Amino acid sequence: MSVKEEKVETTGHESVVDRVYHQIRGLIVSTGLKPGDQLPTESELVDLYGASRSTVRESLRLLEQEGTVHAVQGHGRFISASGALRVERPMTKYESITEVLTGLGYHVTSAVLEVTEAKANEEEAQALEIEPEADVIRLLRIRYGDERPLVVSANTVPRSALPGPINHRDWSGSLTEALAAHGHYVNSALATMSAVQLPSEWEEKYNLEGLGPWLLGTEVGLTRNNTRILYAKDYHLGSEITFSVVRRR
């Protein structure tokens, strides 16, 4: 294996394999591929995404492992029977909001509504397993898909996780990537889901009236060593985003 193989290539803190994996998932959604439909060939995907064949092959292997596609020897790869469910948003896979919306085929932009330093309230302290009144950063954003508000995110992280002045940081990008840049790699989450309306003060202040109901995902992001590093309350626009569960015997 040469040193340029994709096991060591990265784009920011996302590997090239992960990037192409999400691009292929987005392709499945945007082109409306259904169970039994054939994916483009490896060569076509190489040309489409400008990636090496080994990168594309590894990305396809990830899709096969999760059951989105299956390979037929000598004929190519096809969308599996459960693939239509999995590409929506499998609840068993941890993804950032950016990855979720990109995987659904949206062009993602963000509006940072508020970013503040504060003392942890009881809810935040319990979720993050930190001392009450410990220093935290609170971040409130709207994530847009094709210029439509799709997710309102209220995130809390321990202040020590992201050192430096908060006004010197670009808060519009992926928060999980920002945490990874400081050695905090979020790879799993404890989550609950509930149907809610947005807090009325947000609806009025940010012109979000009349869009509900919203699907609230409350998550505690865990690092590789099970440290609680991110408390997220993500309000997903119910008319646009669904979560899928595949049930098996």
Side-chain angles (χ1 to χ4, degrees):
M1 179 181 296
S2 72
V3 296
K4 299 185 74 174
E5 290 284 3
E6 277 57 46
K7 286 192 176 180
V8 297
E9 289 185 67
T10 60
T11 300
H13 295 283
E14 180 184 46
S15 73
V16 177
V17 170
D18 287 340
R19 173 176 61 79
V20 174
Y21 160 83
H22 288 295
Q23 287 174 321
I24 297 173
R25 287 186 69 206
L27 177 70
I28 294 170
V29 174
S30 63
T31 57
L33 292 178
K34 299 197 170 38
D37 289 344
Q38 186 171 7
L39 277 178
T41 66
E42 287 184 7
S43 296
E44 289 171 332
L45 292 171
V46 165
D47 292 339
L48 182 60
Y49 299 124
S52 69
R53 185 174 292 273
S54 60
T55 291
V56 169
R57 189 171 293 134
E58 181 64 15
S59 300
L60 290 168
R61 186 182 66 81
L62 294 177
L63 289 164
E64 290 173 22
Q65 285 180 338
E66 70 181 25
T68 298
V69 304
H70 68 277
V72 178
Q73 185 68 33
H75 295 280
R77 293 176 176 84
F78 299 81
I79 305 300
S80 67
S82 62
L85 287 175
R86 291 183 172 274
V87 296
E88 285 294 324
R89 188 180 181 185
M91 293 187 68
T92 54
K93 181 178 177 63
Y94 179 80
E95 297 176 297
S96 70
I97 296 299
T98 301
E99 290 171 333
V100 170
L101 297 181
T102 300
L104 290 173
Y106 290 107
H107 171 66
V108 182
T109 56
S110 299
V112 178
L113 306 179
E114 298 176 17
V115 55
T116 57
E117 297 180 76
K119 300 294 184 181
N121 59 34
E122 183 176 347
E123 179 183 343
E124 293 166 329
Q126 182 176 357
L128 293 170
E129 295 185 340
I130 57 178
E131 293 294 324
E133 299 293 308
D135 293 331
V136 296
I137 297 173
R138 293 183 186 142
L139 174 63
L140 181 63
R141 297 182 292 180
I142 298 178
R143 315 309 291 274
Y144 295 88
D146 299 334
E147 301 186 355
R148 185 177 185 190
L150 296 182
V151 183
V152 180
S153 297
N155 300 146
T156 304
V157 298
R159 182 64 181 92
S160 59
L162 295 172
I166 61 174
N167 58 344
H168 290 177
R169 184 180 294 277
D170 179 8
W171 296 100
S172 62
S174 169
L175 187 55
T176 54
E177 287 193 8
L179 289 166
H182 292 277
H184 309 294
Y185 298 93
V186 182
N187 66 348
S188 62
L190 306 172
T192 60
M193 307 300 298
S194 54
V196 300
Q197 295 292 331
L198 276 182
S200 58
E201 62 269 25
W202 292 1
E203 289 185 322
E204 297 170 5
K205 187 174 182 180
Y206 302 116
N207 299 316
L208 297 170
E209 298 97 333
L211 296 177
W214 299 72
L215 189 60
L216 171 61
T218 303
E219 293 187 335
V220 178
L222 306 175
T223 65
R224 294 169 181 173
N225 61 358
N226 288 325
T227 298
R228 298 183 174 211
I229 200 68
L230 170 63
Y231 182 47
K233 301 183 77 170
D234 297 318
Y235 296 78
H236 304 78
L237 187 59
S239 61
E240 297 294 328
I241 300 178
T242 62
F243 292 76
S244 300
V245 178
V246 177
R247 303 174 66 196
R248 293 192 179 95
R249 285 187 177 274

